[in-house]
Each structure stands twice: as C-alpha cells, then as structure tokens.
Amino acid sequence: MSSKRETPLRVAVLASGRGSNLQAIIDAIEAGQAKAKIVAVISNKKDAAALERARKHGLPDLFVDPKPFAGRPDGREAYDRALLEVLEKNDVDLVLLAGYMKIVTAVLVNAYANRMMNIHPSLLPAFPGLDVQKKAIEWGCKLSGCTVHFVTEGVDEGPIIIQAAVPILDNDTPETLAARILVQEHKIYPCAVQLFAEGRLRVEGRHVFIDGA
Ligand code: GAR
C-alpha cells in the first residue's frame, strides 16, 4: 500500500480511446486537487484521442503496438511485459486504467497489486464487461453508476474503492445514461487518486478502507 510521501505520486495512465477520464485526472492535478504527476500516458491504439490530450498537456505519450505480439501463445503476457518495462523504467507508483479496453494479465496485476486502478461505468458487481449502460436499462434497474476498483485478474472484480450512483430515467438511452454516469466518473477517479496519494487506502481482502473518512 502507498504510504505518506514527500515527492508527488508517479502515475501512468493506460487508455484506448477518448480519454475523458485521463482529462479529468490531468485537470485535477493541474488544479492541485490531486498530488500526483503523470509520467506516462500509454495506449494500445495509435490514434487514441487520449494520446493527443497527453501531448496537449506536455505529458509523455506512448503507443505500444499490440500487433507484433498477436498470434503468439503468450502474446497477452508478452505485451504486458513490454508495458511493465516502460512502467518500471519510469518508476511508476500507480497505474490507472482509463477506458483501457484490453484485459490485463497476471504480469501487470501482480507487479502492481493494489497499485493499479480501473474505472467501470456500472455499480459493480452488477454488469461487468461491455455495453453495461444498455444492460442496466434492459434489466430495468432504477440506479446505475460507476466504480473505481483495484485491478485483480478477474475482469472488473477487484476490491471497490469508490462508487457513485445515478438514477436511471424512464426515457434513458444507453447514451444519455452513459453521459450522466461519465459526469460522476470524472469526480470519483481523481478523488481515488488523491486518496491513494495521501496513503489513505487500506486493503483488507475484498475491503478497501479509507483512513480518516
Ligand atoms: C468510461 O466510461 C469508462 O468507465 C469505460 O470506458 C469509458 C472510457 O471513457 N471503461 C470501461 O468500460 C472499462 N470496463 P474515456 O476514454 O472518455 O475515459
């Protein structure tokens, strides 16, 4: 677990797409609301808007091409070993998955146990996986939301750090619900980063306790 520290927390963000959660974290850091430094923004997609956002803010961005690893029996692990090399070279303390649409393997999970977070647009453990806003509406849920959790090998299964709930309205579409959830994502992800930076997250089994909450 992280402990009280003098130097800013060194963060890497892994993102595959639009990067609005990355942006929320950049904004929180620039506003002094999260005491952290983004030392790498990494993507498995060359054209990810997240990489462009990083460049705009003068942050190191890196595309790690998955193609050379595809088709190998250990391709997913080998890809993660390449990522791990970058993370270790940059002395990364905390890894943030922010719309990173690739399943991470034990290679990264073990190296960053309780030091890698993910954000997911549902109230886990309901609706892990993809198309979750559509699934929540179709199920007839009255509430949905988002979850920041530590990453374990099971997809969307790790210990929950923070959740925020939003109502599901009768006329919601997956898009309108996703937009309402996203507003909350942009609040809780930077908040989780700051709690980690302050050394206030304590993991006991499946439970994450927030010291001083
Ligand atoms: C966010 O809604 C995030 O919760 C979701 O992808 C979107 C990325 O948006 N992540 C997952 O579904 C992961 N299972 P962003 O690129 O604008 O941050």
Side-chain angles (χ1 to χ4, degrees):
M1 264 314 19
S2 71
S3 55
K4 299 259 176 327
R5 48 188 307 127
E6 298 305 318
T7 54
L9 182 77
R10 296 175 67 81
V11 172
V13 180
L14 271 56
S16 302
R18 173 179 65 178
S20 72
N21 277 288
L22 164 68
Q23 188 67 55
I25 290 159
I26 292 172
D27 292 346
I29 291 172
E30 289 185 353
Q33 290 154 1
K35 301 278 182 296
K37 179 181 158 106
I38 296 176
V39 295
V41 175
I42 304 171
S43 186
N44 59 326
K45 302 278 182 194
K46 196 172 194 297
D47 300 328
L51 293 178
E52 183 52 37
R53 289 184 195 264
R55 286 192 287 271
K56 255 191 201 145
H57 288 264
L59 301 172
D61 68 290
L62 182 68
F63 162 58
V64 181
D65 192 352
K67 270 204 210 93
F69 303 90
R72 282 171 52 171
D74 69 334
R76 289 174 52 224
E77 287 77 11
Y79 184 81
D80 281 359
R81 272 195 293 276
L83 292 187
L84 186 56
E85 210 173 287
V86 176
L87 299 175
E88 288 178 340
K89 213 181 275 170
N90 284 285
D91 259 331
V92 168
D93 301 307
L94 176 67
V95 179
L96 302 175
L97 309 185
Y100 182 62
M101 296 309 194
K102 202 169 186 311
I103 294 172
V104 292
T105 67
V107 170
L108 278 186
V109 169
N110 294 338
Y112 278 90
N114 295 338
R115 298 191 301 143
M116 177 159 51
M117 296 179 182
N118 179 44
I119 186 145
H120 181 77
S122 78
L123 291 176
L124 292 171
F127 308 116
L130 298 173
D131 297 325
V132 296
Q133 297 91 346
K134 181 167 181 276
K135 286 175 187 161
I137 292 170
E138 284 176 357
W139 194 262
C141 297
K142 302 294 186 194
L143 280 177
S144 186
C146 47
T147 303
V148 177
H149 62 93
F150 283 115
V151 177
T152 54
E153 273 194 75
V155 175
D156 300 326
E157 276 181 14
I160 291 169
I161 302 166
I162 311 183
Q163 294 184 301
V166 304
I168 296 181
L169 309 178
D170 288 344
N171 58 356
D172 258 333
T173 63
E175 291 73 28
T176 60
L177 177 58
R180 197 175 312 115
I181 292 173
L182 197 62
V183 172
Q184 298 305 317
E185 294 187 38
H186 296 166
K187 293 181 182 166
I188 67 172
Y189 215 179
C191 180
V193 173
Q194 176 58 8
L195 289 170
F196 188 97
E198 291 172 348
R200 290 173 59 194
L201 299 179
R202 187 163 41 86
V203 184
E204 286 178 26
R206 279 217 52 86
H207 298 261
V208 180
F209 296 97
I210 301 178
D211 289 337

